[in-house]
């Protein structure tokens, strides 16, 4: 069993480095997503009326900001071969906690810190059930998806809290001076740099990839598999809570059903961005490009008068196509690897 696992892991790792550097950089799934993003943006700017206006970019970034934020830790979670389906409910729960505490007279800063603490506790709860109890993350986070959403609805019921400090609600929608870029881009870029360094330039990140390739091999290499996964679930919970605070301020409303279904958009973007659903592969730049691609598609199609149902169909079709295409390419590579190089028959010497 160990020999087979080690052989599979070595094959997957070697396959990523058996091509020249320029081909590894330019001919891969992430580069294809970036190229498609540029192509769709150019076509939309030319053909869709109003898309090229600066205000469109502002609303586009505000719309995709929660997905961009949550996709960062979700990428690392899925590279380990796990998944967190509770992030959308955590956004709603953090929104409700912020609203309830603000409504009760607490300063907004205290309410926001309490929401972040709820995110840490929720992520730690997921991590405990997965790493200590040993339950599968899919089952655990489906359960906490319902649990967190139930708590959110139970705390606030069918009412909504809309009385937030105008300074904070204005800041959530404000633009960087002289540009149409919203301020939320700044904390996103900071988190992007942190997660990129963590994933690609530290022993912790190498451990994340090792866990996704083979848990047993990672343990033999000295990686603390349970601790690594626990940390990632905590990060997923606290970033989702931060996204919930932004979501609340951006719309000026705390409701128990805020961000319903957001987890599906996040997972779709992560998979579209090149992260393997089986773990062991993925890059943050591909995920960011995929989130922006889905946002550009949705924004341009809405401006063109396309209904939301059709937009969902197009986005889902794009996701299925990307997964199928990646599977077909992987199958072709396996077939070519098994076939090996063509045999060369030496010519017989002339008499």
């Amino acid at each position: 069993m160990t020999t087979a696992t080690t052989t599979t892991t070595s094959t997957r790792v070697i396959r990523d480095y058996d091509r020249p550097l320029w081909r590894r950089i330019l001919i891969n799934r992430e580069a294809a997503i970036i190229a498609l993003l540029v192509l769709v943006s150019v076509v939309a700017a030319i053909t869709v009326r109003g898309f090229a206006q600066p205000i469109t970019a502002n609303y586009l970034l505000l719309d995709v900001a929660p997905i961009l934020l949550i996709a960062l830790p979700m990428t690392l979670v899925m590279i380990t071969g796990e998944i967190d389906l509770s992030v959308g409910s955590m956004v709603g729960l953090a929104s409700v906690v912020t609203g309830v505490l603000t409504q009760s007279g607490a300063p907004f800063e205290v309410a926001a810190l309490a929401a972040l603490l709820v995110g840490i506790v929720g992520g730690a709860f997921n991590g405990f059930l997965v790493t200590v109890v040993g339950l599968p993350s899919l089952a655990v986070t489906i359960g906490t998806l319902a649990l967190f959403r139930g708590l959110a609805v139970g705390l606030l019921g069918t009412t909504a809290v809309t009385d937030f400090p105008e300074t904070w609600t204005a800041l959530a929608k404000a633009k960087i001076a002289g540009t149409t870029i919203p301020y939320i881009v700044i904390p996103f870029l900071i988190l992007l740099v942190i997660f990129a360094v963590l994933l690609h330039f530290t022993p912790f990140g190498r451990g994340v990839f090792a866990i996704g390739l083979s848990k047993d091999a990672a343990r033999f290499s000295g990686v603390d598999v349970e601790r690594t996964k626990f940390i990632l679930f905590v990060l997923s919970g606290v970033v989702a809570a931060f996204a919930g605070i932004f979501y609340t301020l951006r719309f000026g409303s705390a409701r128990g059903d805020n961000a319903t279904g957001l987890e599906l958009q996040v997972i779709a973007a992560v998979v579209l961005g090149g992260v393997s659903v089986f773990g062991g592969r993925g890059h943050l730049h591909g995920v960011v490009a995929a989130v922006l691609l889905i946002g550009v598609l949705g924004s341009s199609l809405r401006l063109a008068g396309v209904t939301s149902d059709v937009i969902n169909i197009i986005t889902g079709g794009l996701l299925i196509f990307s997964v199928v295409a990646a599977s077909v390419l992987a199958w072709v590579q396996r077939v070519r690897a098994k076939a090996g190089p063509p045999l060369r028959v030496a010519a017989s010497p002339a008499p």
Side-chain angles (χ1 to χ4, degrees), residues 198-220:
L198 185 67
L199 179 62
H200 298 294
F201 300 100
T202 65
F204 181 88
R206 290 192 288 274
V208 169
F209 282 105
I211 293 170
L213 290 169
S214 171
K215 296 178 185 177
D216 294 333
R219 286 193 179 94
F220 291 145

Side-chain angles (χ1 to χ4, degrees), residues 38-78:
V38 174
L39 176 63
V40 171
S41 301
V42 172
V43 172
I46 296 173
T47 60
V48 179
R49 183 179 179 182
F51 181 83
Q53 296 180 359
I55 191 64
T56 302
N58 176 260
Y59 282 111
L60 170 63
L61 291 173
L62 287 174
D63 288 341
V64 302
I67 303 176
L68 283 171
L69 290 168
I70 301 173
L72 297 177
M74 183 68 78
T75 299
L76 276 67
V77 170
M78 293 185 66

